Amino acid sequence: YASSPDLKAFERRLTEYIACLQPATGRWRMILIVVSVCTATGAWNWLIDPETQKVSFFTSLWNHPFFTISCITLIGLFFAGIHKRVVAPSIIAARCRTVLAEYNMSCDDTGKLILKPRPHVQ
């Protein structure tokens, strides 16, 4: 490994790529947390409102626009693939591990290569 410039270059590029994804992943996680908390808060207010039981479902949603908008936003984010964006670095690392296993190697979550001992052939 120490003598292979190709492996060093691959490791550098992989760690660079994963590190590049981290800021965007952090932003997507914060967006998901904020929208989830808004949805949960709106749902709580919607459920404890005594009028909710007395009116139709759509009227109750109309009476609670904060919950309705945050819920639609959360659903839209999931349709847009936010669940993949918040775990993108780990998806990349897992796919690399799958490919690297063929070459008796692996990598950690930051992209650093892990060389496994060669199997002994007898």
Side-chain angles (χ1 to χ4, degrees), residues 9-108:
F10 175 75
E11 181 182 61
R12 260 193 322 273
R13 182 66 181 122
L14 184 59
T15 55
E16 176 186 308
Y17 185 72
I18 290 175
C20 179
L21 289 174
Q22 293 297 346
T25 299
R27 284 191 295 273
W28 284 115
R29 285 180 182 158
M30 287 306 301
I31 290 169
L32 182 61
I33 289 168
V34 168
V35 173
S36 297
V37 168
C38 288
T39 303
T41 304
W44 176 255
N45 290 331
W46 180 60
L47 290 172
I48 64 170
D49 183 9
E51 289 295 313
T52 300
Q53 297 174 7
K54 298 175 186 172
V55 295
S56 72
F57 175 71
F58 291 109
T59 305
S60 69
L61 289 178
W62 185 259
N63 291 338
H64 295 276
F66 180 73
F67 168 67
T68 305
I69 291 169
S70 60
C71 191
I72 289 170
T73 303
L74 186 63
I75 291 168
L77 286 172
F78 274 99
F79 276 123
I82 195 170
H83 56 290
K84 293 178 185 172
R85 293 176 188 193
V86 297
V87 293
S90 57
I91 290 172
I92 298 295
R95 289 179 181 171
C96 284
R97 280 187 205 103
T98 302
V99 172
L100 289 170
E102 299 271 330
Y103 302 99
N104 211 29
M105 292 187 286
S106 186
C107 67
D108 62 9

